[in-house]
Amino acid sequence: MASNTMYSNPPCAACKFLRRKCLTGCIFAPYFPPEEPTKFANVHKIFGSSNVSKLLNEILPHQREDAVNSLAYEADARLKDPVYGCVGAISVLQRQVVHLQRELDAVNADLMRYSKGKNYGRGGSSLDTNTGICVAYNPYQWINNPASDNAGIGGDGGR
């Protein structure tokens, strides 16, 4: 009967997975709660419980949560992509950034090309001489400012 009162809390996900008693000073308990069994299972599958235990014991207590989150992220990525892991995801994201930067540069170049020599009033654009970026104005500004001289139904919005 005394053993039931001694272990009133459920074992952490690590101890449950490893089929052992979860003692009071369990290194895994704060980072692998019983509600998240797959978190430890994935980390164990990739890194092994002994390695994770050694790592957690070697680093400072305030760094452990970040370390466990990193291990869990890497383990999930490694299970999805066994060859590249999270490096593959980073590479894909870097390529997307490069592609989107090129697309943004092309759009800015188009805006600058269209803004040269043209003055559309409120519906046009102008070149910011400080930054070199083309600034487009809202052609429907009259909707927000009904008191403007071009406002009203049937108006051209300043175009």
Side-chain angles (χ1 to χ4, degrees):
M1 193 66 138
S3 64
N4 288 342
T5 59
M6 189 175 173
Y7 299 106
S8 61
N9 291 335
C12 69
C15 291
K16 189 172 184 177
F17 183 86
L18 298 171
R19 297 178 184 189
R20 65 183 190 189
K21 289 182 181 179
C22 191
L23 302 176
T24 306
C26 176
I27 190 76
F28 298 119
Y31 314 107
F32 298 103
E35 305 86 42
E36 300 178 26
T38 57
K39 181 178 178 181
F40 180 78
N42 292 344
V43 169
H44 172 71
K45 185 181 280 187
I46 300 300
F47 299 106
S49 61
S50 177
N51 290 330
V52 174
S53 176
K54 287 177 192 175
L55 175 80
L56 292 177
N57 283 318
E58 289 176 4
I59 62 176
L60 297 173
H62 71 276
Q63 296 174 325
R64 290 177 182 166
E65 185 174 357
D66 290 335
V68 167
N69 289 336
S70 295
L71 290 172
Y73 181 81
E74 175 64 32
D76 289 342
R78 197 53 76 171
L79 290 171
K80 290 176 187 171
D81 184 354
V83 175
Y84 295 108
C86 67
V87 174
I90 291 168
S91 178
V92 167
L93 292 171
Q94 285 176 336
R95 282 192 300 255
Q96 283 181 341
V97 167
V98 168
H99 173 74
L100 291 171
Q101 185 62 50
R102 287 181 184 154
E103 193 174 317
L104 180 62
D105 291 344
V107 168
N108 274 333
D110 285 346
L111 284 172
M112 287 175 55
R113 192 170 39 251
Y114 291 130
S115 70
K116 287 184 180 180
K118 295 183 180 181
N119 184 2
Y120 292 107
R122 276 198 190 113
S125 58
S126 66
L127 184 64
D128 184 344
T129 56
N130 293 328
T131 63
I133 296 174
C134 186
V135 181
Y137 293 101
N138 183 357
Y140 302 104
Q141 187 173 358
W142 59 271
I143 294 173
N144 296 329
N145 186 6
S148 71
D149 53 348
N150 291 326
I153 299 175
D156 64 354
R159 283 188 252 167

